[in-house]
Amino acid sequence: MALDKQTTAKREFKVVGTRPLRPDGVDKVTGKALYGADLTAPGMLVGKILRSPHPHARIRSIDTSAAEAAPGVKAVITHADFTLPDDEDMRDILVNCMAFNKALYDGHAVAAVAAISEAAAKAALKLIKVDYEVLPHVTDVDEAMKPDAPVIERGRQAETVGEGFSENVTSYCEFGHGDIEAGFTRADHVIERSFKTEATHQGYIEPHACLATFTTDGKADLWCCTQGQYMVRRVCSAIMDMEASQLRVTPSEIGGGFGGKTTVFIEPVALMLAKKSGRPVKIVMSRSDVLRASGPTCSSSMDVRIGMTKDGRITAGHAKLRYQGGAFPCGTVEMGAMAAFAAYDLEAVRTQGWNAMTNRPKQAAYRAPGAPMAIYAVESVVDELCQHLGLDPLDVRLKNAAKAGTKASYGVTFTDIGLSACLAAAKAHPHYAAPLGPGQGRGVSCGFWFNFGGDTCVTLNVNMDGTVSVTEGNPDIGGSRASIGMMAAEELGVPFDKVRTQVVDTASLGYNEVTDGSRVTFAVGLATIKAAQAAKAEMCRRAAMIWGIDAEAVTWEDGCAKPSGPNAGDFPPMTLAEIAAVSSQTGGPIAGHHEVNADGAGVSFGVHLVDVEVDPETGATKVLRYTVFQDAGKAVHPDYVEGQMQGGAVQGIGWALNEEYIYGEDGRLQNAGFLDYRVPVASDLPMIDTVILEIPNPGHPYGVRGVGETSIVPPLAAIANAVSRAAGVRLTELPMSPPRILAALDAARPKAAAE
Amino acid sequence: MVKVAIWGSLRGFTEGRAEIEVEAATTKEMLDKLVEAYPGLRPQVERGVSVAIDGFVYKDAWFTPIRPDSEVVLMPLMVGG
């Protein structure tokens, strides 16, 4: 669709910008909401998956005969039950769900059982005999890139990769402009540092769960927790070699996704077990399985070099990013390479990125995938330059900030963006002037994300009682039902409580892309506004019929159809409810639809400010104060926008301080549980303060920008900069867990003593 | 004619050119002409690309109009979380 440039005039909103009660709140706090694992069906079987204990092993054979004969077992499946699809992406998804010739990581599924009880299914798993030939493994990205590294799979290298790398390196990308060496020559000081970040998990509370049924005539139903029921239908129908129309996917309520539920892990397995057994099959992943075998983020190894003049002008920036995204090709490094320097207006910039396969689970998206680590490295070096040159970190960022007209490092010239406004707001905020105590440090970082639109389909029905039903196809992971309903109410001119928004199954609407890319409030909101406009046009037509005047002589204002002027006639306004009440008599039900591949999402920037205190005895970091500044374009429901900003900050704090995938020498995950994989909880944190800025996005009728992802980008660097200033030593590896901070302090002490 | 900016790692397939001129009025035409002129770009285009036109990113939108003076930037296919 061509860009929708409706946001030209400043608009006064009545519903948008208010804070009504969340429509899903009561169900969630009373336990009524139905999540993936809550669904049951008559005759349902329990599905369980056998997983590889080896990080890398050839599967010589799998003997399922004893399991098949076990009491209560109704079906056992392996890769032999599936046919590899022709499409490479689909093939990778299937092989990740069920290993074919090799187990590629600790926890990789190798077989599955459906039985009448959990106990019977578990017992049957123990009877499956897998003959493995254990192979050398690699889990570290730098090791995986070496020419002599164990190769995960041959033939996956893209044409862009040069000589001298392992076959594990699947892709290479490069962005930038200008002469960077000339830029470094102009600098008064240049700093180059290397960084590493570990893989983290999205940490959604709800594990993956699904329930599959298969009829004898080849139709199937699947209920699951997902960020995209249409994606599940597309992928599963391809894997099951069935027509998409024969598979209906219904999304459950979702207990967190953050990108981790934008693909499938268990759904094809449940479908195949249901097909083979002829019974409904439910699979619920354990927390251990979620951590071992769903989709964590990439780990990274990065080198960043930046030059700066004495007065704080960045003269050149160069980043080399090496990401691993598990045992399959992964494009996330491209996002990181494009985002790394996006916050800066630079004459000379270059980013290079390599992806390497390792014996780890297949990476899935995690809020702004690829950007947090790259921007962490860049923002750390910027901060160190500020320290070295004695410059204020916010002043330096303001001096170099990208703005309208800036050519970004990835080639695009920005239009209206809110980075400078966020920086100025941070500079003026009382937090920035608050005194710091001993052992405390303050960190600043910018963040950026692209935001997307994509395929979207909405139906809006005007009910005969004057209420409005909106059906949309994107699972609500961040409050979208509220914001979509508010935009419908705003456009129609009715109260918010007259609108109910529901997320429907794949049979009810056309294709909707997954809930990702911070796209839903933007794209579904846009489609909802258009659908409401279509319904308004129809209601004006119905009123015109009743009044006996031309439809063009009727306008919609304040929730009513009105004659457009004195010449149109003298008729009292008809409300939506009055028109709806006689809809049958005036031609039938009234509805509006809109289907679109929405574009014009508009990029998003944010700035985070944090104070921490580092305990030099234990290496523990306490977050004392945290403030998020972010451009939302237009905050439809400010509570939810603030929630997104706070949630992203907290997940980023976890990434910075605690969370990491720890693999042992044996290539097995050492901390597959929430006791050892430590996410921050409320008691670890101060209240996260938020400042919403509103620089309207010209691509949306109300100026909306996505807000869901940008907020996880700055915390890694903001915390690292605060910790480094508090500890008096630059930390270059995440997470900055107490042992790492103590090691850095110990390493710095003799040096400091010598100086 | 429109000028299309090519990201760095693809320049090995465009004889080192960072910017390519093609005769195109839509994104589909532009991508077809690019691949026709530089067949080495085909694997990447088939894997998927996004196209930024005048600062806004478009994904799989074949008939998005391109004006001769538009800024057109080829980008990897966007994914989000």
Side-chain angles (χ1 to χ4, degrees):
Chain A
M1 184 194 96
L3 186 63
D4 186 330
K5 290 185 176 170
Q6 294 196 13
T7 323
T8 46
K10 184 84 175 166
R11 174 176 183 141
E12 293 299 320
F13 293 101
K14 291 180 178 168
V15 181
V16 166
T18 63
R19 300 171 186 254
L21 289 177
R22 54 189 301 164
D24 54 335
V26 171
D27 283 354
K28 284 180 174 167
V29 299
T30 57
K32 294 281 195 307
L34 293 175
Y35 292 91
D38 291 328
L39 298 158
T40 58
M44 189 178 80
L45 303 175
V46 175
K48 288 281 172 194
I49 295 173
L50 182 68
R51 298 185 179 279
S52 168
H54 306 295
H56 198 192
R58 194 173 317 284
I59 299 171
R60 290 198 191 101
S61 65
I62 303 176
D63 180 358
T64 60
S65 55
E68 285 165 15
V73 172
K74 300 298 180 187
V76 181
I77 62 167
T78 68
H79 65 85
D81 292 278
F82 293 94
T83 303
L84 282 174
D86 292 334
D87 181 89
E88 197 169 73
D89 291 340
M90 294 294 169
R91 214 159 52 227
D92 284 351
I93 293 171
L94 171 57
V95 172
N96 189 45
C97 292
M98 186 60 69
F100 271 61
N101 60 334
K102 288 204 296 185
L104 298 171
Y105 54 89
D106 168 39
H108 196 172
V110 293
V113 167
I116 56 171
S117 68
E118 177 131 354
K122 280 183 174 171
L125 286 187
K126 291 180 182 166
L127 299 174
I128 298 173
K129 296 185 188 72
V130 185
D131 182 14
Y132 291 107
E133 176 195 348
V134 177
L135 301 170
H137 65 271
V138 61
T139 57
D140 177 80
V141 61
D142 291 322
E143 294 299 317
M145 289 178 70
K146 290 179 179 170
D148 58 348
V151 175
I152 314 302
E153 188 188 357
R154 299 201 182 279
R156 303 306 302 269
Q157 201 160 68
E159 69 287 351
T160 47
V161 180
E163 301 287 315
F165 293 107
S166 159
E167 280 195 68
N168 290 327
V169 179
T170 57
S171 63
Y172 168 70
C173 63
E174 185 183 326
F175 303 91
H177 55 256
D179 183 341
I180 56 168
E181 289 311 321
F184 286 123
T185 306
R186 285 199 302 277
D188 291 311
H189 193 66
V190 176
I191 289 180
E192 181 170 7
R193 291 279 176 268
S194 296
F195 300 87
K196 289 198 98 161
T197 66
E198 240 317 331
T200 56
H201 195 270
Q202 299 84 355
Y204 33 80
I205 300 300
E206 182 198 22
H208 298 264
C210 70
L211 168 61
T213 68
F214 229 103
T215 61
T216 49
D217 62 348
K219 291 194 283 290
D221 258 294
L222 183 65
W223 294 266
C224 58
C225 63
T226 177
Q227 287 178 243
Q229 62 271 42
Y230 297 88
M231 170 277 299
V232 174
R233 182 183 66 175
R234 181 172 57 83
V235 170
C236 289
S237 60
I239 287 174
M240 298 299 292
D241 194 23
M242 61 192 293
E243 292 174 359
S245 62
Q246 300 306 302
L247 173 60
R248 182 175 60 172
V249 182
T250 306
S252 68
E253 196 65 66
I254 185 168
F258 313 109
K261 292 175 182 169
T262 56
T263 185
V264 298
F265 300 103
I266 53 174
E267 290 80 358
V269 178
L271 279 166
M272 189 56 82
L273 285 170
K275 186 176 184 182
K276 200 165 180 180
S277 67
R279 302 261 294 262
V281 174
K282 180 157 88 173
I283 297 179
V284 181
M285 288 180 94
S286 67
R287 180 63 58 192
S288 167
D289 286 353
V290 169
L291 286 163
R292 288 170 76 204
S294 64
T297 189
C298 294
S299 64
S300 72
S301 165
M302 303 170 286
D303 309 317
V304 170
R305 185 182 182 212
I306 298 175
M308 192 179 277
T309 60
K310 282 178 189 163
D311 65 349
R313 181 68 197 160
I314 298 173
T315 58
H318 185 191
K320 295 178 181 175
L321 314 176
R322 299 168 292 274
Y323 287 12
Q324 72 73 31
F328 300 86
C330 169
T332 300
V333 73
E334 293 169 352
M335 304 292 121
M338 287 193 287
F341 287 99
Y344 294 107
D345 184 0
L346 303 177
E347 285 181 17
V349 58
R350 187 181 187 204
T351 54
Q352 297 168 274
W354 293 264
N355 177 73
M357 294 188 292
T358 62
N359 293 112
R360 293 193 185 210
K362 188 176 192 296
Q363 179 260 5
Y366 183 14
R367 277 183 131 154
M373 353 16 169
I375 287 178
Y376 150 69
V378 167
E379 289 288 275
S380 293
V381 175
V382 170
D383 193 63
E384 196 175 346
L385 281 162
C386 292
Q387 282 183 296
H388 181 86
L389 295 168
L391 300 169
D392 178 280
L394 276 177
D395 286 343
V396 166
R397 285 170 174 84
L398 273 163
K399 185 182 281 260
N400 294 282
K403 48 195 159 300
T406 292
K407 185 181 174 70
S409 51
Y410 60 94
V412 169
T413 302
F414 287 133
T415 54
D416 296 331
I417 57 172
L419 176 58
S420 293
C422 289
L423 288 163
K427 178 93 180 167
H429 196 276
H431 181 165
Y432 200 58
L436 288 168
Q440 298 178 356
R442 177 165 295 145
V444 171
S445 176
C446 300
F448 161 84
W449 185 242
F450 303 93
N451 295 337
F452 318 137
D455 285 336
T456 307
C457 182
V458 166
T459 288
L460 181 151
N461 286 295
V462 178
N463 304 315
M464 287 186 191
D465 66 352
T467 59
V468 176
S469 300
V470 178
T471 51
E472 54 126 330
N474 279 95
D476 176 359
I477 56 173
S480 57
R481 277 168 296 192
S483 57
I484 300 309
M486 290 171 74
M487 284 186 268
E490 182 75 47
E491 194 64 29
L492 293 169
V494 299
F496 170 65
D497 63 8
K498 296 294 180 196
V499 182
R500 184 172 181 198
T501 303
Q502 288 186 286
V503 179
V504 296
D505 63 67
T506 52
S508 302
L509 284 174
Y511 193 88
N512 282 271
E513 282 192 28
V514 294
T515 297
D516 77 344
S518 303
R519 72 173 218 93
V520 173
T521 305
F522 165 76
V524 182
L526 185 148
T528 300
I529 292 166
K530 298 285 185 185
Q533 289 169 348
K536 284 195 302 188
E538 179 60 18
M539 287 188 283
C540 286
R541 197 179 71 80
R542 301 291 178 94
M545 287 169 68
I546 292 167
W547 293 331
I549 62 175
D550 289 342
E552 292 73 31
V554 180
T555 60
W556 192 265
E557 203 177 303
D558 295 331
C560 298
K562 294 177 179 174
S564 56
N567 292 340
D570 185 17
F571 303 101
M574 285 190 78
T575 64
L576 178 145
E578 288 168 340
I579 297 168
V582 294
S583 58
S584 180
Q585 293 85 343
T586 58
I590 296 168
H593 308 268
H594 197 70
E595 297 82 29
V596 64
N597 179 358
D599 293 303
V603 298
S604 168
F605 285 91
V607 173
H608 289 203
L609 197 54
V610 59
D611 298 347
V612 304
E613 184 169 308
V614 174
D615 183 337
E617 299 300 318
T618 65
T621 299
K622 185 171 177 58
V623 180
L624 303 171
R625 186 172 181 178
Y626 204 110
T627 311
V628 178
F629 306 83
Q630 190 172 324
D631 171 19
K634 176 66 195 172
V636 177
H637 191 309
D639 279 356
Y640 281 112
V641 174
E642 289 163 3
Q644 290 282 1
M645 291 158 72
Q646 291 165 325
V650 171
Q651 288 187 307
I653 290 168
W655 201 336
L657 291 178
N658 302 314
E659 296 180 40
E660 63 177 318
Y661 266 53
I662 301 171
Y663 281 94
E665 289 295 314
D666 58 0
R668 301 183 67 180
L669 186 62
Q670 305 293 299
N671 58 337
F674 274 160
L675 278 178
D676 298 316
Y677 181 93
R678 177 75 161 76
V679 300
V681 296
S683 56
D684 295 323
L685 300 162
M687 183 65 185
I688 309 291
D689 291 325
T690 56
V691 177
I692 301 173
L693 290 99
E694 295 186 326
I695 291 87
N697 169 23
H700 187 276
Y702 294 172
V704 169
R705 293 179 198 274
V707 296
E709 291 174 286
T710 298
S711 57
I712 202 173
V713 179
L716 282 60
I719 297 274
N721 293 340
V723 167
S724 297
R725 285 170 181 256
V729 55
R730 180 56 55 176
L731 276 295
T732 57
E733 198 167 338
L734 299 186
M736 294 172 292
S737 53
R740 285 210 178 101
I741 289 180
L742 280 181
L745 286 171
D746 287 345
R749 273 179 197 130
K751 193 175 156 194
E755 285 170 357
Chain B
M1 298 290 273
V2 293
K3 290 177 184 165
V4 185
I6 305 295
W7 77 81
S9 39
L10 293 186
R11 291 173 198 162
F13 308 101
T14 61
E15 297 163 0
R17 293 181 192 181
E19 201 168 68
I20 293 169
E21 273 196 283
V22 292
E23 188 73 49
T26 65
T27 51
K28 175 79 164 58
E29 269 188 78
M30 182 271 289
L31 291 174
D32 288 347
K33 295 279 175 62
L34 275 184
V35 168
E36 194 181 308
Y38 298 97
L41 294 175
R42 183 179 296 280
Q44 178 63 53
V45 171
E46 288 181 350
R47 279 196 296 273
V49 291
S50 299
V51 178
I53 301 171
D54 295 324
F56 287 93
V57 179
Y58 297 84
K59 196 162 80 167
D60 290 334
W62 285 1
F63 301 110
T64 304
I66 306 177
R67 297 191 319 274
D69 61 343
S70 288
E71 178 195 72
V72 183
V73 180
L74 207 60
M75 296 168 65
L77 192 67
M78 293 279 149
V79 293

